[in-house]
């Protein structure tokens, strides 16, 4: 019997550029039937380097379009739009850029139950509605670049199309949520997704410090560029005497594990002096000294030996790996992450796997297949979609869905925050052992990721506490967890244990290295994953390997992937009655967001080196972040092709540069990038960054000010026009700022936001409402110690 994939029978029509193309790829990964409509002259992505050998076949186009049918169709000519509408008539989801001849009123007539997701750089309406961006410029505008790099370097663009991956994940979430609403109501759904807003939501400390200026270890509400040093001060990349770089941290059980190790090796220095450091609080107050001790210890040791010994002691250290070295990690082979695929015109290539694995996965998506009109089988009568209770609020399409959330720190809580913003009932299960530090209500970190959730306490070490957890699991649609591998199974709360009695539940496990393989017990946080997957290595100026991303990108993206996985589980359950077991290994997500570079290595043998802000594949030049007037003020400018270069020369009033043999052609500009960057910065240096941005945008050139939190909150006109920021109330914190969900559903942004609840504040309510327990029964559980 053929297994039904998570998104079997879901039909997706795609006319979008980068962001929508990645969303379509994610839906194809889940088994959706995705048709990408491209111009008769070919897909614009086909011109994107690098290429498979001398075949002329784009690595990036092949990756982002894997699993899709490519249909050439000119919708601007007679007959073309009619054929397009015929596809729309039989589609479930449409992904587009929010422009062109795609009028929602017409599409609604063609397909009254279509879910349309329009993905634009800054959202519909507002002064930046027609913004020209690429990955570099989008990262500058959203705050990412402002915290990546250090004060010795310009702000850095994160490596690897990460804006595309962030926005594409959000688009997939919106598509599946809107599709669910369309099935429930039989009504057209239009989602207006702002890439700018989506990216801002995934910048960790950028908004946290602004919303909570006096609540943490930071000294300014505007987050700084700190190199590899985490905003908490407790994670940093150091160079070993041998073995390369290693990310080390003092953040996990320092007094119980790491300090005794340092003492064993005679490397604790003054930390072993109880007169100077009588307790862990004293050490935390002198964290820079603690990190200095670690740096000097690492410098005297082999990095690889430290890594394996640290992991043996359950410390989340991470070796800084290149692209080639990341693929040599034994987890890759042991879990069968790479799958051979035949690339037309080139031959067999090992392809990276999906972001997560489900118990209903089909074959790995193959390279895209060109098709024709006659081959599209999207006609005929389709079985009626299963109906659920329609959401009362169109902006909260997940109303009626219940999620049991065992996750902590950032990745899992961010994923369930997204589901909660869209209306799901999130029941956050707290345990006394996890309420500390950044996982406590006293820290704004916990507050930022845990809005819109009910909070209960369960003692999972107590038999009655586990029994309550089992009963509650049976009343939930989704369970999320990021315990160590195997912990949930030992409690009998994994999918195999629950399937016989609760077949519809989906269980999502978010282990760092996955639920199997030789490294499954390794402990990881986002900086660990960044180091291991190549992201730290590649996010650097040339010749450096020690800076890396300025915030926990893979935690945010793992959270978004968790939300996609949850929606796939619901889709599968609605169709088959069965939930899914989902293994979301954050290391494999890290590899997935580096996939074009992995493929370039696997096909062409390229082990890339950091390129700073220059385009890693040489498609844009100039392509950099340039100093402007004012203290630490910068602007990103990206030029594609000779026409845009001439336009920039005109904007700079330096038309003689257009004919300068050093810069006259794209090839010449690539060969003279130092001189090219110098002439651009000569122009930007005395000018206001927003004026430079406006002048370039008016000429059709992608450019954007490097914005920090203060800019986003007080100067960004698009965010103000679209009312992106809001506020919530909580018992502990009073009124605090929030970033609201980055999309509008049928013109309405999700608008119901509750501040973080106190630990255990909802225990009685949940047990009464969901399980039907009486007050006396609950009191008995309290007396037994099961609810703590």
């Amino acid at each position: 019997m053929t297994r039904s994939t998570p998104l079997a029978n879901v039909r997706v029509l795609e006319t979008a550029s980068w962001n929508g193309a990645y969303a379509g790829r994610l839906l194809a990964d889940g088994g959706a039937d995705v048709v990408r409509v491209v111009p008769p002259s070919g897909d614009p992505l086909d011109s994107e380097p690098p290429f498979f050998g001398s075949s002329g076949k784009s690595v990036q186009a092949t990756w982002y379009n894997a699993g899709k049918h490519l249909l050439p169709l000119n919708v601007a000519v007679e007959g073309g739009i009619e054929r397009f509408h015929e596809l729309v008539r039989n589609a479930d989801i449409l992904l587009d850029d929010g422009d062109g001849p795609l009028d929602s009123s017409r599409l609604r007539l063609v397909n009254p139950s279509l879910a349309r997701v329009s993905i634009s750089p800054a959202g519909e309406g507002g002064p930046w509605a027609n913004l020209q961006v690429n990955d570099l410029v989008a990262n500058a505008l959203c705050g990412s670049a402002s915290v990546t790099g250090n004060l010795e370097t310009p702000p850095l663009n994160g490596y690897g199309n990460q804006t595309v991956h962030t926005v594409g994940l959000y688009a997939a979430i919106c598509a599946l949520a809107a599709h669910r609403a369309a099935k429930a109501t039989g009504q057209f759904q239009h989602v207006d997704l702002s890439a700018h807003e989506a990216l801002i939501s995934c910048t960790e400390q950028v908004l946290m410090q602004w919303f909570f200026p006096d609540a943490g270890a930071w000294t300014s509400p505007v987050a700084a560029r700190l190199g590899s040093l985490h905003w908490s001060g407790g994670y940093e990349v150091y160079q070993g005497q041998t073995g390369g770089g290693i990310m080390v941290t003092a953040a996990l059980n320092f007094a119980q594990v790491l300090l005794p190790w340092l003492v064993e090796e005679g490397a604790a220095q003054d930390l072993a002096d109880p007169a100077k450091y009588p307790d862990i609080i004293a050490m935390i107050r002198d964290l820079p000294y603690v990190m200095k001790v670690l740096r000097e210890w690492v410098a005297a040791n082999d990095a690889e030996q430290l890594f394996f010994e640290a992991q043996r002691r359950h410390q989340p250290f991470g070796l800084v790996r290149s692209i080639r070295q990341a693929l040599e990690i034994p987890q890759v082979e042991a879990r069968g992450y790479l799958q051979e695929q035949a690339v037309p015109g080139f031959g067999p290539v090992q392809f990276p796997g999906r972001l997560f694995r489900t118990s209903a996965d089909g074959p790995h998506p193959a390279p895209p297949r060109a098709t024709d009109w006659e081959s599209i089988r999207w006609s005929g009568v389709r079985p009626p979609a299963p109906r659920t209770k329609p959401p009362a609020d169109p902006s909260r399409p997940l109303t009626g869905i219940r999620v049991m959330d065992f996750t902590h720190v950032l990745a899992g809580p961010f994923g369930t925050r997204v589901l909660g913003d869209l209306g799901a009932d999130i029941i956050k299960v707290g345990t006394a052992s996890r309420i500390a530090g950044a996982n406590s209500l006293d820290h704004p970190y916990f507050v930022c990721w845990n809005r819109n959730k009910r909070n209960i306490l369960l003692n999972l070490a107590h038999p009655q506490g586990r029994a309550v957890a089992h009963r509650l699991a049976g009343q939930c649609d989704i369970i999320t967890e990021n315990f160590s591998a195997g912990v949930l199974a030992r409690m009998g709360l994994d999918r195999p244990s629950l399937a016989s009695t609760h077949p519809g539940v989906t269980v999502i496990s978010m282990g760092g290295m996955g639920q199997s393989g030789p490294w499954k017990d390794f402990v990881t946080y986002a900086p660990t994953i960044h180091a291991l997957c190549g992201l730290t290595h590649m996010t650097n100026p040339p010749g450096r390997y020690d800076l890396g991303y300025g915030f926990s990108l893979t935690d945010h993206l793992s959270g978004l992937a968790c939300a996609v996985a949850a929606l796939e589980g619901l889709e599968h359950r609605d169709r088959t009655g069965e939930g899914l077991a989902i293994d979301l290994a954050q290391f494999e997500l890290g590899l997935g967001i580096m996939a074009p570079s992995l493929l370039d290595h696997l096909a062409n043998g390229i082990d890339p080196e950091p390129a700073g802000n220059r385009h890693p594949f040489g498609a844009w030049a100039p392509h950099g972040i340039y100093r402007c007037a004012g203290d630490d003020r910068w602007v990103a400018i990206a030029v594609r092709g000779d026409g845009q270069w001439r336009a920039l020369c005109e904007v700079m009033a330096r038309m003689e540069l257009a004919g300068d043999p050093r810069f006259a052609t794209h090839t010449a500009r690539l060969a003279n990038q130092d001189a090219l960057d110098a002439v651009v910065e000569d122009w930007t240096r005395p000018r206001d960054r927003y004026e430079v941005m406006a002048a370039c945008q008016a000429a059709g050139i992608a450019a954007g000010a490097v914005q920090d939190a203060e800019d986003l909150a007080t100067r960004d006109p698009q965010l103000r026009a679209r009312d992106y920021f809001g506020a919530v109330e909580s018992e502990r914190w009073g009124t605090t700022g929030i970033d609201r969900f980055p999309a509008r559903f049928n013109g309405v942004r999700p608008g119901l936001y509750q501040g973080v609840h106190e630990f255990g504040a909802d225990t009685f309510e949940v047990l009464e409402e969901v399980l039907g327990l009486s007050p006396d029964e609950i009191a008995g559980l309290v007396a037994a110690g099961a609810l703590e």
Side-chain angles (χ1 to χ4, degrees), residues 125-131 716-719 721-722:
W128 288 358
N130 298 313
L131 203 63
D716 189 311
Q718 186 71 2
L719 299 179
R722 286 176 56 88

Side-chain angles (χ1 to χ4, degrees), residues 565-585:
L567 289 160
E568 288 193 11
L570 293 174
E571 186 70 27
H572 189 264
R573 189 273 312 275
D574 289 350
R575 191 179 65 256
T576 69
E578 298 285 332
L580 297 172
I582 296 176
D583 180 3
L584 198 170

Side-chain angles (χ1 to χ4, degrees), residues 626-664:
Y626 303 100
R627 191 177 298 277
C628 291
D631 182 28
D632 199 34
R633 298 305 192 197
W634 306 82
V635 67
I637 299 175
V639 169
R640 187 76 181 255
D642 295 341
Q644 285 195 9
W645 169 242
R646 287 191 293 272
L648 180 60
C649 291
E650 186 172 355
V651 170
M652 295 191 298
R654 295 287 307 275
M655 284 306 296
E656 74 278 8
L657 295 174
D660 188 317
R662 297 174 299 167
F663 312 133

Side-chain angles (χ1 to χ4, degrees), residues 525-738:
Y525 291 139
T528 320
I529 299 298
H530 291 189
L532 292 173
C533 76
L535 186 60
T536 297
H537 177 92
M538 291 303 299
T539 303
N540 273 289
R544 292 190 69 163
Y545 310 100
D546 61 333
L547 295 179
Y549 241 91
F551 57 93
S552 297
L553 175 77
T554 56
D555 269 356
H556 281 292
L557 299 195
S558 293
L560 295 177
C562 171
V564 174
L567 289 160
E568 288 193 11
L570 293 174
E571 186 70 27
H572 189 264
R573 189 273 312 275
D574 289 350
R575 191 179 65 256
T576 69
E578 298 285 332
L580 297 172
I582 296 176
D583 180 3
L584 198 170
Q586 295 178 52
F587 171 61
E588 290 179 351
L589 179 135
L591 292 177
I593 64 173
M594 304 294 282
S597 293
L598 301 185
L599 267 177
D600 193 23
H601 172 71
L602 291 164
N604 301 321
I606 302 297
D607 193 15
E609 285 291 308
N613 289 323
R614 291 174 180 171
H615 192 267
F617 302 123
W620 303 67
H623 187 270
I625 293 179
Y626 303 100
R627 191 177 298 277
C628 291
D631 182 28
D632 199 34
R633 298 305 192 197
W634 306 82
V635 67
I637 299 175
V639 169
R640 187 76 181 255
D642 295 341
Q644 285 195 9
W645 169 242
R646 287 191 293 272
L648 180 60
C649 291
E650 186 172 355
V651 170
M652 295 191 298
R654 295 287 307 275
M655 284 306 296
E656 74 278 8
L657 295 174
D660 188 317
R662 297 174 299 167
F663 312 133
T665 66
H666 178 69
T667 301
R669 290 191 295 278
L670 287 178
N672 294 281
Q673 288 192 83
D674 288 345
L676 181 67
D677 288 339
V679 299
V680 174
E681 191 160 276
D682 283 346
W683 174 66
T684 63
R685 186 183 291 270
R687 290 172 168 79
D688 176 82
R689 58 198 163 130
Y690 288 104
E691 291 177 2
V692 171
M693 172 184 170
C696 289
Q697 288 284 341
I701 298 166
V706 174
Q707 299 197 116
D708 58 27
E710 183 177 12
D711 298 322
L712 296 170
T714 66
R715 298 186 181 94
D716 189 311
Q718 186 71 2
L719 299 179
R720 188 181 309 116
R722 286 176 56 88
D723 198 23
Y724 176 59
F725 292 114
V728 294
E729 297 284 335
S730 65
E731 181 179 337
R732 184 79 55 101
W733 292 89
T735 303
T736 53
I738 61 165

Side-chain angles (χ1 to χ4, degrees), residues 60-126:
Q60 297 201 78
T62 301
W63 171 252
Y64 289 110
N65 287 332
K68 304 176 189 176
H69 305 278
L70 303 184
L71 177 66
L73 185 64
N74 187 348
V75 299
V77 301
E78 185 176 354
I81 194 65
E82 287 77 9
R83 285 196 163 184
F84 181 76
H85 284 157
E86 184 62 30
L87 291 172
V88 168
R89 184 171 293 110
N90 292 288
D92 297 299
I93 294 167
L94 170 63
L95 301 169
D96 65 70
D97 292 334
D99 55 12
L102 305 181
D103 177 68
S104 276
S105 59
R106 174 61 178 153
L107 294 173
R108 183 181 285 107
L109 291 174
V110 172
N111 185 345
S113 59
L114 179 71
R116 178 189 184 188
V117 182
S118 297
I119 311 140
S120 57
E124 295 182 359

Side-chain angles (χ1 to χ4, degrees), residues 198-533:
L199 295 169
I200 292 166
S201 77
C202 293
T203 53
E204 196 182 15
Q205 75 273 21
V206 171
L207 293 184
M208 178 179 67
Q209 288 186 211
W210 183 257
F211 291 148
F212 299 91
D214 303 314
W218 43 89
T219 58
S220 169
V222 177
R225 297 196 306 282
L226 301 174
S228 66
L229 183 65
H230 191 258
W231 59 263
S232 67
Y235 305 72
E236 197 165 17
V237 172
Y238 299 136
Q239 191 71 21
Q241 185 178 59
T242 54
I246 182 172
M247 192 289 301
V248 303
T249 177
L252 182 64
N253 297 326
F254 180 80
Q256 298 87 350
V257 179
L258 194 50
L259 180 58
W261 184 11
L262 292 170
V263 171
E264 286 174 28
E265 301 217 345
Q269 301 184 40
D270 289 349
L271 295 177
D273 185 348
K276 292 184 178 180
Y277 296 98
D279 53 33
I280 187 62
I281 301 301
M283 295 178 193
I284 291 173
R285 288 174 177 161
D286 200 8
L287 192 54
Y289 178 73
V290 173
M291 299 307 288
K292 172 182 175 293
V293 170
L294 291 177
R295 181 173 65 250
E296 293 173 358
W297 173 57
V298 169
N301 285 276
D302 178 78
E304 291 201 17
Q305 290 180 2
L306 286 181
F307 168 69
F308 286 108
E309 179 60 20
Q311 288 293 345
R312 189 186 69 81
R313 297 173 187 245
H314 303 293
Q315 291 292 294
F317 289 18
L319 285 168
V320 177
R321 304 285 79 178
S322 69
I323 295 296
R324 174 184 59 79
Q325 291 169 327
L327 288 169
E328 292 171 350
I329 288 173
Q331 203 74 347
V332 172
E333 182 177 357
R335 285 171 55 88
Y337 176 71
L338 300 176
Q339 296 288 321
E340 186 174 285
Q341 300 283 359
V343 176
F346 182 74
V349 178
Q350 294 291 311
F351 257 59
R354 298 176 172 90
L355 294 190
F356 53 83
R357 303 163 188 236
T358 84
S359 51
D361 283 341
H364 281 239
R369 305 175 299 283
T371 191
D372 54 33
W373 179 257
E374 287 71 24
S375 300
I376 303 296
R377 304 293 184 181
W378 279 15
S379 58
V381 178
R382 304 187 67 195
R387 292 295 175 93
T388 57
K389 184 179 179 181
D393 180 348
S395 71
R396 293 171 61 79
L398 300 187
T399 299
I401 298 303
R402 185 176 292 131
V403 180
M404 192 176 187
D405 180 10
F406 287 105
T407 64
H408 67 300
V409 193
L410 171 53
F414 186 69
T416 53
R417 186 186 96 164
V418 167
L419 298 174
D421 285 355
L422 294 177
D425 176 18
I426 312 298
I427 299 174
K428 184 163 188 64
V429 181
T431 58
S433 62
R434 282 189 165 189
I435 302 174
N439 292 307
S440 78
L441 279 161
D442 294 325
H443 202 294
Y445 202 69
F446 183 88
V447 178
C448 284
W449 320 126
N450 287 290
R451 71 189 187 205
N452 285 344
K453 300 177 185 180
R454 296 198 278 183
N455 197 308
I456 70 171
L457 285 176
L458 286 181
N459 182 356
L460 298 174
H462 193 289
Q464 289 179 270
R466 289 196 299 275
V468 171
H470 274 263
R471 290 186 60 186
L472 194 56
Q475 301 301 315
C476 291
D477 304 284
I478 305 292
I479 297 173
T480 62
E481 62 97 4
N482 59 357
F483 295 117
S484 298
V487 169
L488 204 70
R490 289 193 290 274
M491 291 190 288
L493 290 168
D494 60 329
R495 166 75 191 167
S497 300
L498 295 172
S500 62
T501 53
H502 308 300
V505 69
T506 285
V507 180
I508 304 170
S509 296
M510 302 179 66
M513 304 303 291
Q515 300 300 300
S516 63
W519 286 17
K520 67 180 175 64
D521 295 321
F522 281 19
V523 182
T524 69
Y525 291 139
T528 320
I529 299 298
H530 291 189
L532 292 173
C533 76

